[in-house]
Amino acid sequence: MIEVTDAALRKAVGEGMDEFIQVFTDKYKEAIGDEWTAEAMSLLTGEQHSLLAYQIFRDEVMAGGFCQLIQNGYGGYIFDNPFAKVMRMWGAEDLSKLVYKAKKIYDDHRVDLEKERTDDEFMAMYEQYEAFDEIEEEYLDMEERVTALIARYVDEHLELFAKINK
């Protein structure tokens, strides 16, 4: 089981809900390293994968939207796994619906969205895939609330996410 310290969690809570979540996800990334192989990924539980997926989703969409998320290689991790379903089960129904909307676009255009691009071609994706714009705006409007909701879920179910060391 992944381990985090109580002190790290207490410090992070004072800094914000996203920092609280990041205490866990940093440990998950440390455990799997840069290897996103089946063997490395098996080191995490389903709950841990879902929390890591949320962190990646949040960071990528906040920085550069769905085009960036997909171009950075996370499309399959978000859309081919039960991420949206888990978000609904954790109480983030609005986020779940939003992810399903984005998944529809992703599924319809996956080959093109995932192909290698130059910087100019990448920037042109934002015009080509304007269908993501509204979904990204919806997420930006709900991000703070959703992040707090997920952090609260993690806090209420700590044993699912890590072993807490005093």
Side-chain angles (χ1 to χ4, degrees):
M1 179 57 104
I2 305 294
E3 298 181 8
V4 299
T5 65
D6 186 57
L9 291 177
R10 289 183 190 283
K11 180 179 184 282
V13 165
E15 296 172 5
M17 295 298 101
D18 49 339
E19 286 84 358
F20 175 77
I21 291 170
Q22 192 157 352
V23 169
F24 294 91
T25 58
D26 283 351
K27 289 292 186 178
Y28 303 163
K29 289 175 187 174
E30 184 181 304
I32 62 175
D34 288 331
E35 298 182 42
W36 288 68
T37 63
E39 183 179 337
M41 298 308 263
S42 71
L43 298 172
L44 302 179
T45 66
E47 289 85 2
Q48 292 167 338
H49 274 293
S50 296
L51 188 59
L52 179 57
Y54 179 72
Q55 180 73 44
I56 290 167
F57 177 88
R58 180 192 172 279
D59 290 351
E60 294 291 325
V61 173
M62 296 289 286
F66 286 100
C67 290
Q68 177 175 308
L69 174 109
I70 296 163
Q71 279 288 294
N72 283 343
Y74 298 117
Y77 190 60
I78 299 299
F79 299 119
D80 291 343
N81 287 306
F83 174 66
K85 180 180 179 182
V86 172
M87 293 300 103
R88 182 174 36 83
M89 290 169 39
W90 289 2
E93 292 90 1
D94 291 345
L95 175 62
S96 177
K97 291 175 187 173
L98 183 142
V99 172
Y100 282 124
K101 283 186 211 173
K103 178 179 174 23
K104 172 83 170 96
I105 299 166
Y106 174 75
D107 288 345
D108 290 348
H109 302 281
R110 183 175 189 154
V111 172
D112 185 56
L113 283 163
E114 290 182 343
K115 78 179 182 185
E116 290 285 323
R117 297 178 188 269
T118 65
D119 288 345
D120 288 341
E121 290 170 335
F122 170 70
M123 294 309 292
M125 286 179 73
Y126 289 101
E127 289 181 29
Q128 185 178 357
Y129 291 101
E130 289 179 342
F132 284 130
D133 290 354
E134 184 179 316
I135 303 168
E136 290 164 358
E137 286 298 319
E138 282 182 61
Y139 178 68
L140 294 176
D141 289 343
M142 71 172 72
E143 180 276 326
E144 195 172 305
R145 179 177 50 80
V146 169
T147 299
L149 185 149
I150 290 171
R152 189 169 38 256
Y153 182 87
V154 171
D155 189 44
E156 291 170 358
H157 303 89
L158 286 173
E159 70 284 353
L160 298 176
F161 296 96
K163 178 182 176 199
I164 311 302
N165 292 327
K166 298 291 175 197

